Amino acid sequence: MSAMVTFFPVGCGDMALIRLADEPATHVLVDVNIRVAADDDADDTRDVAKDLRDRLPRDAKGRPYVDAFLLSHPDKDHCTGLEKHFHLGPIDEYPSDDQPDAEKKIVIREIWSSPMVFRRASKNHTLCADAKAFNREAKRRVQRFRDGKLLIDGERVLILGEDENGKTDDLGTILIKTGDKFRTINGRWSSYFEAHLLAPMPRQDDDDEELLSKNHSSTILNMQLASSALHPDSCRFLTAGDAEVAIWERLWSRYKATPDVLAYDLLLAPHHCSWHSLSYDSWSRLGEKVKVSPDARSALGQARFGARIVASSKPIKDDDSDPPCIRAKREYKAILGDHSGIFHCTGEEPNARSPEPLEMEISASGVRRKEARARGVAAVTAAAAPRAG
Ligand SMILES: [Zn+2]
């Protein structure tokens, strides 16, 4: 099967599933936002839990699983539904083997967590129950590692970015330092995947710390996804949670001499297409007088030929709301215009009335939306608008 990234329609929130081209396919989930309305049969909000489960493999015991789950940062719209749909706790206490498939908890074989991102988030607000549950589970797994216990599926953890004051210095193989690249998922080396950890940025001085905390510090990864063993660099997927303008400015100052580090074929527009990822100005207050930050725009402007930018948000309206923000969409479309790229919004695919998961297929020639026909839907738009494919 081909490699694919699926973006689920979860309103202003993130939930994206990466399927690698290996066999059996490795699955990495980035964030989760399964709202109560999506779980309610009487509500017409898209049942994204079913959409996710339909795409996940089952293990030898019939349990649905992801090989890795990354929480970009612990805001509600990135972790809602975690406790309800996923198994947290020791794998030998898995509770739902007797349940029907649709009700079985999803096993997280390896959890990807950043203590630094958690530290910055909890300075600014109280964490929601799902975020606290995630943090407990990550800490439990780290403790298990420190205790020298066997690392098995459902118990692994990878720490992304160093914590302050040397708190993560003893973590050896389970610590990825910011600026490093890694190729292991759930303890296995992959020739179909490489990720470059670009943020969280390590702690420097207090002023800097304050600014980074207020800019929705998030884990930022630029992932290289292979379409086959012969084509390891078919797609760069840049994913950045809700990171805002000051973080992108710092990334540009760090990588402007090597901009390929920030190059992408697929960009999840940070913070649900918020203008604050590109500018310090308020769109709702200043309107067309707002100014873009040239450095943030450069950091987010490294689109490769035919790139796609996806806003994970409700439909983007031509008004003063933010996020999603029409001005940010215009800026992203301008970036893409120079590279024959296409902009998508999860709340508008295929239409705003009943959005469906947006599936981006990866081939040797790049990224394209899986065709309507292949999705089992009447091929209405594909034939009429080849550019939209
Ligand atoms: Zn968010």
Side-chain angles (χ1 to χ4, degrees):
M1 274 200 289
S2 59
M4 170 117 68
V5 182
T6 303
F7 300 91
F8 300 88
V10 295
C12 275
D14 281 353
M15 178 158 138
L17 180 69
I18 300 162
R19 183 184 77 194
L20 300 188
D22 53 355
E23 200 59 58
T26 299
H27 291 78
V28 178
L29 182 64
V30 180
D31 292 335
V32 63
N33 190 32
I34 305 173
R35 296 162 293 172
V36 174
D39 281 337
D40 181 357
D41 290 343
D43 190 290
D44 59 6
T45 302
R46 181 82 187 186
D47 186 353
V48 287
K50 180 179 185 308
D51 288 328
L52 173 64
R53 287 167 180 277
D54 286 350
R55 287 165 175 79
L56 293 184
R58 305 292 185 268
D59 67 15
K61 292 179 175 159
R63 301 169 179 174
Y65 69 90
V66 292
D67 293 278
F69 172 65
L70 163 69
L71 180 60
S72 68
H73 68 297
D75 281 0
K76 205 171 164 22
D77 53 319
H78 297 256
C79 59
T80 292
L82 184 73
E83 278 191 291
K84 179 168 182 205
H85 289 278
F86 292 78
H87 173 57
L88 305 174
I91 193 65
D92 56 13
E93 291 173 15
Y94 182 81
S96 36
D97 280 330
D98 299 332
Q99 304 286 324
D101 184 72
E103 284 158 39
K104 284 185 179 176
K105 297 260 190 178
I106 299 165
V107 172
I108 300 170
R109 289 184 158 181
E110 181 172 77
I111 208 162
W112 291 2
S113 174
S114 171
M116 200 62 197
V117 165
F118 261 86
R119 189 172 301 288
R120 287 173 176 149
S122 41
K123 265 181 210 157
N124 279 305
H125 57 270
T126 312
L127 300 181
C128 65
D130 281 308
K132 286 180 181 160
F134 178 93
N135 204 20
R136 264 197 311 278
E137 177 64 3
K139 282 184 169 166
R140 186 190 69 78
R141 294 187 186 199
V142 168
Q143 190 55 48
R144 220 179 159 276
F145 170 81
R146 286 191 167 122
D147 292 344
K149 295 201 175 133
L150 194 63
L151 298 175
I152 53 170
D153 292 351
E155 297 286 3
R156 288 195 182 84
V157 57
L158 206 58
I159 296 299
L160 302 183
E162 298 151 279
D163 200 355
E164 60 182 25
N165 302 326
K167 285 181 180 141
T168 42
D169 287 0
D170 63 330
L171 292 182
T173 53
I174 65 162
L175 172 69
I176 308 293
K177 294 180 180 172
T178 300
D180 283 357
K181 293 179 179 176
F182 64 100
R183 304 194 72 132
T184 52
I185 299 173
N186 190 32
R188 289 177 196 92
W189 192 90
S190 175
S191 50
Y192 294 81
F193 169 89
E194 182 177 81
H196 195 169
L197 180 65
L198 304 177
M201 286 153 207
R203 188 187 167 89
Q204 289 168 354
D205 55 56
D206 285 346
D207 288 351
D208 201 54
E209 192 56 25
E210 175 85 8
L211 197 67
L212 291 180
S213 298
K214 288 201 169 136
N215 269 255
H216 292 265
S217 184
S218 297
T219 302
I220 303 180
L221 287 172
N222 200 356
M223 305 184 200
Q224 190 174 292
L225 309 174
S227 58
S228 71
L230 292 176
H231 298 95
D233 195 18
S234 302
C235 172
R236 302 260 189 97
F237 174 33
L238 180 57
T239 178
D242 286 357
E244 292 196 333
V245 57
I247 291 169
W248 294 106
E249 287 181 340
R250 276 164 175 70
L251 280 174
W252 186 244
S253 100
R254 182 160 179 188
Y255 292 114
K256 62 184 164 196
T258 53
D260 187 59
V261 167
L262 294 160
Y264 59 84
D265 302 279
L266 189 57
L267 168 69
L268 181 56
H271 203 180
H272 326 295
C273 202
S274 165
W275 178 242
H276 289 289
S277 293
L278 287 155
S279 168
Y280 287 97
D281 294 342
S282 160
W283 168 247
S284 60
R285 259 203 337 270
L286 297 174
E288 296 297 344
K289 289 187 190 136
V290 291
K291 290 203 171 59
V292 71
S293 152
D295 284 3
R297 193 204 193 268
S298 295
L300 285 163
Q302 303 305 311
R304 301 207 290 192
F305 182 79
R308 308 291 176 121
I309 296 179
V310 176
S312 186
S313 68
K314 56 190 185 180
I316 304 171
K317 297 203 172 112
D318 192 355
D319 59 17
D320 62 359
S321 56
D322 183 14
C325 177
I326 185 75
R327 180 67 183 81
K329 174 180 172 177
R330 271 162 42 197
E331 200 65 40
Y332 289 126
K333 286 190 88 160
I335 288 168
L336 291 168
D338 298 336
H339 307 278
S340 301
I342 301 175
F343 182 92
H344 300 268
C345 168
T346 56
E348 300 170 5
E349 298 281 348
N351 59 67
R353 202 170 25 83
S354 49
E356 297 170 8
L358 171 62
E359 296 182 305
M360 291 294 187
E361 214 160 22
I362 296 162
S363 70
S365 53
V367 183
R368 52 180 292 135
R369 185 170 61 185
K370 192 171 169 185
E371 298 231 1
R373 216 173 326 111
R375 296 200 316 260
V377 178
V380 239
T381 46
R387 278 292 306 276

